[in-house]
Amino acid sequence: MDYYAKLEESFQSELQSVSNTVELQTLLSKYIGKNGFITQKLKEMAAAPKEERAALGKAVNKLKCYIEEQGKEKKASLSKKDNRTYVDITLPGAYVKPGGRHPVKIVLNEIIDIFVSMGFAVEEGPEVETDFYNFEALNIPLNHPARDMQDTFYIKPLGAETPANSYRESNIVLRTHTSPVQIRIMEKKKPPLMFIAPGKVYRCDSDISHTPIFHQVEGLMVDEGITFANLKAVLEAFIHIVFGPDVPVRFRPSFFPFTEPSAEVDMGCFSCKGTGCRVCKNSGWIEILGAGMVDPRVFNKAGIDTNVYTGFAFGIGIERIASLKYGIDDIRLNYEGDLRFLRQF
Ligand code: DAH
């Protein structure tokens, strides 16, 4: 009998030092587990003399019940203290699909990198613009037919009760191009200026090659003695970096109200190599961007002395470059959020 009292005592003292459920489990199996002391004793009982068996059994069982009881209590008090969450590390993990950059963003970043590497700074301007910056200062006066080139979203002034078709009277618009940033920066900073202005622009237009929102990168370089040769060098270098060093580039006379002379810049069709195909509408050339020498009227509006300074400007449509690079045949795909499209980049 003494033996059981000792066993109980040692169990109790060991129980005292148990501080978590794992230790408790180890302790319990040491006593009442498959090979534990108590289980061992129960097995030995079979060999004990008949008359002792009953008393022996009672003692062993009593101790076993006691240990089980103590174990339960300890477990309850441990789990009250232990508020950690246990993770079943054998469960299959939750798969997190990695995100990817949007094709327009990939191309935009690449274009920014190219111009930054040439020494251009990066500037920004507001997407909600005034008529002055978006049109007037860029030599596009009110009622001038050049305004029809850009299907403008007019913003209803706060509190105004105007019917929709007279919003045109409002002098607040969603910028239709990034060119207004030229004026904003020229007003703020003195030449020499050499910067690009990337960003979103808006036009009320939607078809296979137009979306109401799209992206442009504007460029401006102003200093003493800037000529068309500088413009050619910068834009040729840009096109050769994006589309390869051997692609032919041509400057075609064009018109923009804010540049004189103006040019549209084409590159040789990569698809037919100039012989004419569907991609280049049989011309052998693909239009890439608009550019020109800054019109003196624009310099005057922005307060730049035309006796001292000349400059060039250019505007690049990002979705257009992305379409050419990736062969995207419908510009609207960029903004439909279809993952089957987006996962390809
Ligand atoms: N702002 C013009 C557009 O959206 C693009 C452009 C053409 C920008 C010629 C320029 C430029 O700076 O010189 O159609």
Side-chain angles (χ1 to χ4, degrees):
M1 286 302 146
D2 215 22
Y3 174 80
Y4 297 106
K6 265 202 199 126
L7 214 53
E8 186 181 319
E9 217 171 86
S10 71
F11 171 76
Q12 223 145 26
S13 80
E14 281 182 78
L15 190 64
Q16 293 278 314
S17 57
V18 161
S19 63
N20 61 49
T21 49
V22 178
E23 281 172 25
L24 177 65
Q25 202 48 52
T26 314
L27 177 64
L28 290 176
S29 63
K30 183 169 154 191
Y31 284 83
I32 55 175
K34 225 159 105 195
N35 299 311
F37 297 139
I38 306 285
T39 322
Q40 218 47 49
K41 278 286 152 205
L42 281 168
K43 280 184 192 156
E44 283 167 22
M45 258 171 45
K50 228 179 182 173
E51 54 281 13
E52 285 177 29
R53 259 187 231 165
L56 216 64
K58 218 171 151 192
V60 176
N61 261 325
K62 195 172 148 220
L63 184 56
K64 189 177 176 216
C65 288
Y66 173 78
I67 289 176
E68 279 171 354
E69 208 48 47
Q70 292 282 300
K72 265 189 213 151
E73 265 174 44
K74 186 76 179 182
K75 196 172 170 189
S77 84
L78 279 177
S79 67
K80 232 185 268 167
K81 264 193 284 176
D82 183 5
N83 51 15
R84 284 173 298 179
T85 3
Y86 287 89
V87 175
D88 182 352
I89 59 163
T90 65
L91 283 175
Y95 175 58
V96 180
K97 285 191 175 137
R101 281 204 202 289
H102 191 281
V104 169
K105 196 74 182 171
I106 296 172
V107 171
L108 188 61
N109 286 343
E110 192 182 325
I111 291 174
I112 292 171
D113 281 351
I114 292 170
F115 284 108
V116 166
S117 78
M118 291 187 203
F120 283 79
V122 179
E123 301 282 3
E124 275 181 322
E127 288 168 27
V128 179
E129 257 305 359
T130 62
D131 183 277
F132 176 77
Y133 288 105
N134 196 78
F135 294 123
E136 198 71 38
L138 289 161
N139 198 31
I140 313 173
L142 197 66
N143 300 323
H144 190 281
R147 290 213 179 184
D148 291 347
M149 287 164 74
Q150 310 195 337
D151 306 273
T152 312
F153 283 114
Y154 292 86
I155 302 277
K156 181 178 159 187
L158 216 62
E161 288 295 329
T162 36
N165 56 5
S166 55
Y167 290 167
R168 278 174 178 275
E169 316 283 290
S170 121
N171 67 351
I172 303 171
V173 301
L174 291 185
R175 68 177 180 191
T176 58
H177 50 178
T178 42
S179 304
V181 187
Q182 289 186 28
I183 310 295
R184 288 186 173 272
I185 301 302
M186 283 194 282
E187 279 180 346
K188 264 204 314 227
K189 299 181 180 173
K190 295 276 143 273
L193 292 171
M194 189 179 177
F195 66 86
I196 54 165
K200 296 188 185 77
V201 299
Y202 304 84
R203 291 188 199 181
C204 188
D205 206 354
S206 180
D207 60 37
I208 193 164
S209 56
H210 297 89
T211 46
I213 181 171
F214 60 104
H215 296 74
Q216 290 186 338
V217 170
E218 194 75 15
L220 183 70
M221 187 164 175
V222 181
D223 200 355
E224 294 178 37
I226 299 291
T227 70
F228 204 91
N230 301 116
L231 170 62
K232 279 190 78 175
V234 167
L235 292 181
E236 271 175 10
F238 164 71
I239 292 171
H240 287 155
I241 295 170
V242 178
F243 292 102
D246 300 322
V247 65
V249 177
R250 80 172 178 189
F251 287 68
R252 182 164 41 82
S254 185
F255 171 79
F256 296 103
F258 31 88
T259 43
E260 184 58 36
S262 303
E264 258 156 312
V265 183
D266 301 338
M267 69 171 195
C269 180
F270 51 82
S271 182
C272 64
K273 305 277 177 243
T275 56
C277 68
R278 209 171 57 90
V279 176
C280 59
K281 295 186 190 117
N282 278 320
S283 71
W285 295 94
I286 296 174
E287 185 190 319
I288 294 289
L289 52 89
M293 300 305 290
V294 179
D295 193 302
R297 285 168 184 250
V298 174
F299 277 148
N300 286 336
K301 292 267 192 206
I304 301 250
D305 187 348
T306 51
N307 292 317
V308 183
Y309 297 109
T310 52
F312 68 75
F314 57 87
I316 307 169
I318 306 309
E319 281 77 357
R320 182 155 176 75
I321 306 277
S323 294
L324 293 170
K325 255 191 90 120
Y326 295 122
I328 302 168
D329 53 10
D330 185 338
I331 188 177
R332 292 170 295 194
L333 284 167
N334 287 311
Y335 300 108
E336 282 169 357
D338 188 333
L339 292 177
R340 290 168 304 179
F341 169 74
L342 295 170
R343 287 208 179 104
Q344 298 176 64
F345 303 97

